[in-house]
Amino acid sequence: MSLILNDLKYNDSHEWVRVDADGQVTVGITDHAQEALGDVVFVELPTVGSELSTGASAGVVESVKAASDIYSPLDGVVTQINESLSLNPELVNSDTYGEGWMFRLQLSNPAQLDSMLDAAGYTQAIGG
């Protein structure tokens, strides 16, 4: 059974969002997604300073099974990427909600957070 944290927001393409104290958000893929992918061997992340729109491709996660796009869950500007993933992509598997985060966004429309799924909604979306 996948770990789903109550303090995060989710979208149906399996990205999670944590609202940080500075108003920015941290983005990663869910435990359900990393379990489905299997052992992650490579992560391509967006460029710092790039503007992302909701649903736009923000990168790629490659595993021993498949490659999958990472989608931006919200509109915003990339302020930071997790550079540790270039040397240790397996962090996505071992600590998906911690050290396996992918990028941070400065939101251009924070009201979009209201349209994301809560833990119960995401659990239902994945058939849990």
Side-chain angles (χ1 to χ4, degrees), residues 33-101:
Q34 70 82 22
E35 285 178 351
L37 283 167
D39 294 336
V40 173
V41 295
F42 178 76
V43 179
E44 179 184 307
L45 296 173
T47 305
V48 172
S50 60
E51 291 186 40
L52 299 176
S53 299
T54 303
S57 179
V60 175
V61 177
E62 291 183 22
S63 72
V64 293
K65 292 182 182 177
S68 181
D69 284 334
I70 306 165
Y71 297 102
S72 180
L74 302 162
D75 296 346
V77 175
V78 177
T79 59
Q80 186 178 1
I81 60 171
N82 186 354
E83 295 183 17
S84 297
L85 295 180
S86 64
L87 295 175
N88 300 300
E90 67 276 6
L91 289 171
V92 174
N93 296 116
S94 64
D95 192 12
T96 195
Y97 297 118
E99 296 298 315
W101 66 278

Side-chain angles (χ1 to χ4, degrees), residues 19-41:
V19 179
D20 299 320
D22 62 3
Q24 296 186 47
V25 297
T26 301
V27 179
I29 64 168
T30 65
D31 190 51
H32 176 78
Q34 70 82 22
E35 285 178 351
L37 283 167
D39 294 336
V40 173
V41 295

